Amino acid sequence: MDLPRPSPGPEEDPEAAERIRRLKKLYALSMTLSGDPLDVFKGVAEMIGELFDVSTVCLSEICGDELRFLSVYENGIVTLNAGCYPLRTTPCATVIESKDIRTYDAVAERFPEAPFLKERNAYSYCGFPSLGPDGRVVAVTCLLDPEPREFTDEDREVLQIFGQRIAMEIERRRLLDERRHIDSELWKLSHAVEQSPCAIMITDTKGVIEYVSPKFFEITGYSAHEVIGRTPAILKSGMTPAAQYKELWDCLASGREWRGAFLNRKKNGELYWSRESISPIRNALGEMTHFLAIEEDTTESQRIEDKLREVQKMEAVGQLAGGIAHDFNNLLTVILGNLELIFERAEGDTRLSELTDMTLKSALRAADLTRQLLATSRKQPLRPEVIDAGSLVAGLVDMLQATLGETIAIRTVMPSGLWQAYADPGQVEAALLNLAMNARDAMPHGGTLTIELANVRLDGEEAAKHGDAQTGDYLMFTVTDTGIGMPPEVASRAFEPFYTTKDLGKGTGLGLSTVHGFARQSGGFAELESEPGKGTSIRIYLPRTMTRDEAAADLYPSGATPSGDAITPRLSA
């Protein structure tokens, strides 16, 4: 009996064997294509080339009017980013138009303006699209071969699978690029915030702190765990009106930005001025979700502004006092001259002589007051010369001790190598005597008066702290007492003309203003530091001067220089 012959197996059926081979290739594709998008594009081009046994596979992305070849497979070798070609001159344009697979024979002849076809000796062409999420063609992959090729329905199904895979990878690459861009922007933004010279704070709509930048810690002294979850009320100094906080919240509640300044308190209790800008943060729906506060510590600039206003006020008062003193001095000259004539003619008339003498003394006191006013306004005539500060102070000590009395000890600090100054020695002595008298009044029960000399060099930052002081070298005189000191509101006005805390008739209020005016007229400046119960220090800065030999040594440190006694100022313009 004859048995039926079995149907041929894959080994005997070439078509079945080819189908199995392709299925294995597709399975391998699904298992191995992952990782960087360019690696996937490379793998796809290589697999298509091997699966369909063609000489060339060009996987190209559509970029406007161009084809950008992401990967090109040629005879077993894959090249990435293989250049761009105009789209409209290629058969790929018809694939885009139809959104379907297109095949051509004699393709290089039919599209003579597509150089990549001729370069690869292409005869047959099969192009298939990759459709993005919005249905647009995002890529065209073409199979080229120098021989005629037939593509079955099964081939087309396989190519459509590849097209979908390529589209997915292009979308993934787009998302990765977008993510990298976002990450880059976030990195730049976060570093800008972290390194900002201003403190940055983010709160919720109830004012609870969720984030503060490192500058905030530097300014306030608080750490992250001390402020996160709390409100900015921890910075309140109690010196900002409640109405200002109400205005702030009313402004933010209406969705507007608020700008203003606060006098805040640091963790250590120190006060500082803060200029702030607070604005709402909104989500995609336009709803307020947070508040962003940008805070700048303006304490130093505020201090400099206050100092500048003080200098300007002193200038204005000084000009007024100088103008009055100048005219008054002219009147006193006439009065004093006539009083001297009357005094000479009053000999023998005791009563008239007494009255004339009393009037003359008052006029002389008025002349001294005029001199002080001129010193305050920096209009008094000076006789400057090079002074040896150490010798000048040493010569004053005995006189000061006799004036101050035994209950006050005088201490001097005069290091070697002191610079020279160019000033009126008489005015320097008068200024030191004036300061000593003030110190005596501040130490009614005795104490110590210290006169210290020092060389001081001011750079730009240090000079800025002293108003309009110039940078350069100064000889500094410091007079310090251990007296009762001054509260801040008194110390801030101590150099003002006519300002005094002494009882009526015990002071004109021109003592310290005279010292200040003399220092300014000499090219320097004066400053005061005082604290209740801890005494007062007043420093007079006079510009350093050098002999010609010293100046030459500065300019020509290694060579011979002209000698002489001329002096050279040491201030920068």
Side-chain angles (χ1 to χ4, degrees), residues 384-454:
E385 59 184 73
V386 178
I387 61 171
D388 180 347
S391 299
L392 184 147
V393 170
L396 276 177
V397 170
D398 290 342
M399 182 183 70
L400 289 176
Q401 189 66 75
T403 304
L404 299 179
E406 296 180 357
T407 61
I408 296 177
I410 298 178
R411 175 174 170 264
T412 60
V413 179
M414 296 183 290
S416 59
L418 288 170
W419 293 331
Q420 293 179 329
Y422 189 62
D424 186 329
Q427 292 299 323
V428 175
E429 292 178 350
L432 295 176
L433 182 61
N434 196 324
L435 296 179
M437 295 299 99
N438 281 348
R440 180 192 62 186
D441 294 341
M443 297 185 290
H445 305 296
T448 301
L449 177 75
T450 302
I451 302 176
E452 181 178 0
L453 302 178

Side-chain angles (χ1 to χ4, degrees), residues 9-50:
E11 296 83 0
E12 302 176 32
D13 186 347
E15 291 185 3
E18 178 64 18
R19 188 179 300 111
I20 291 174
R21 187 179 71 85
R22 289 188 174 186
L23 287 174
K24 288 181 177 179
K25 284 287 186 179
L26 284 174
Y27 178 76
L29 170 67
S30 65
M31 295 298 292
T32 61
L33 292 182
S34 62
D36 185 270
L38 278 178
D39 291 336
V40 174
F41 296 143
K42 176 182 178 182
V44 167
E46 188 174 23
M47 285 185 178
I48 292 174
E50 292 178 358

Side-chain angles (χ1 to χ4, degrees), residues 216-535:
F216 177 89
F217 308 137
E218 180 184 330
I219 293 174
T220 66
Y222 285 101
S223 60
H225 75 273
E226 290 175 314
V227 295
I228 300 298
R230 303 178 67 182
T231 70
I234 61 174
L235 301 176
K236 282 186 176 181
S237 64
M239 304 180 71
T240 300
Q244 187 170 343
Y245 293 111
K246 184 179 185 304
E247 176 196 346
L248 160 64
W249 281 107
D250 289 346
C251 181
L252 294 178
S254 66
R256 294 178 290 118
E257 180 185 18
W258 183 88
R259 293 175 182 270
F262 290 121
L263 183 58
N264 285 336
R265 190 181 302 277
K266 300 181 181 181
K267 181 182 177 180
N268 62 6
E270 181 183 339
L271 297 177
Y272 72 99
W273 279 102
S274 167
R275 183 186 296 121
E276 301 197 16
S277 172
I278 307 175
S279 55
I281 299 176
R282 302 178 186 274
N283 61 17
L285 299 177
E287 300 167 336
M288 287 191 296
T289 60
H290 294 82
F291 295 126
L292 171 68
I294 300 176
E295 174 183 316
E296 180 184 3
D297 183 356
T298 59
T299 306
E300 184 61 20
S301 60
Q302 185 77 29
R303 191 194 65 77
I304 292 174
E305 288 176 11
D306 291 344
K307 189 76 174 178
L308 181 58
R309 280 194 292 270
E310 179 185 339
V311 169
Q312 291 171 337
K313 181 175 68 174
M314 291 285 289
E315 291 285 345
V317 173
Q319 289 178 4
L320 174 63
I324 294 173
H326 184 269
D327 292 340
F328 188 43
N329 198 48
N330 291 336
L331 296 174
L332 279 176
T333 301
V334 177
I335 292 171
L336 287 169
N338 289 328
L339 281 174
E340 288 178 359
L341 292 175
I342 294 172
F343 190 76
E344 290 177 359
R345 297 180 182 183
E347 291 184 7
D349 188 335
T350 305
R351 180 59 180 162
L352 182 59
S353 295
E354 289 176 356
L355 292 173
T356 304
D357 183 56
M358 186 184 305
T359 305
L360 183 60
K361 288 179 179 178
S362 296
L364 289 172
R365 288 183 61 192
D368 185 60
L369 181 62
T370 303
R371 180 191 61 77
Q372 289 181 296
L373 285 171
L374 288 171
T376 297
S377 62
R378 293 183 282 163
K379 293 183 178 180
Q380 66 174 335
L382 297 178
R383 297 179 178 82
E385 59 184 73
V386 178
I387 61 171
D388 180 347
S391 299
L392 184 147
V393 170
L396 276 177
V397 170
D398 290 342
M399 182 183 70
L400 289 176
Q401 189 66 75
T403 304
L404 299 179
E406 296 180 357
T407 61
I408 296 177
I410 298 178
R411 175 174 170 264
T412 60
V413 179
M414 296 183 290
S416 59
L418 288 170
W419 293 331
Q420 293 179 329
Y422 189 62
D424 186 329
Q427 292 299 323
V428 175
E429 292 178 350
L432 295 176
L433 182 61
N434 196 324
L435 296 179
M437 295 299 99
N438 281 348
R440 180 192 62 186
D441 294 341
M443 297 185 290
H445 305 296
T448 301
L449 177 75
T450 302
I451 302 176
E452 181 178 0
L453 302 178
N455 298 331
V456 176
R457 177 162 293 164
L458 298 184
D459 58 18
E461 183 176 346
E462 286 295 320
K465 295 179 181 179
H466 303 284
D468 57 351
Q470 293 181 329
T471 58
D473 296 340
Y474 292 86
L475 177 62
M476 181 178 70
F477 296 77
T478 303
V479 178
T480 303
D481 64 57
T482 57
I484 58 176
M486 306 179 194
E489 62 273 15
V490 173
S492 65
R493 301 185 60 188
F495 287 135
E496 289 185 17
F498 308 114
Y499 179 76
T500 180
T501 57
K502 296 178 181 179
D503 295 336
L504 187 64
K506 292 189 177 181
T508 62
L510 289 174
L512 290 179
S513 65
T514 300
V515 172
H516 180 271
F518 156 69
R520 300 281 289 182
Q521 190 175 4
S522 300
F525 59 94
E527 65 177 6
L528 179 145
E529 182 180 341
S530 186
E531 189 174 342
K534 295 186 178 181

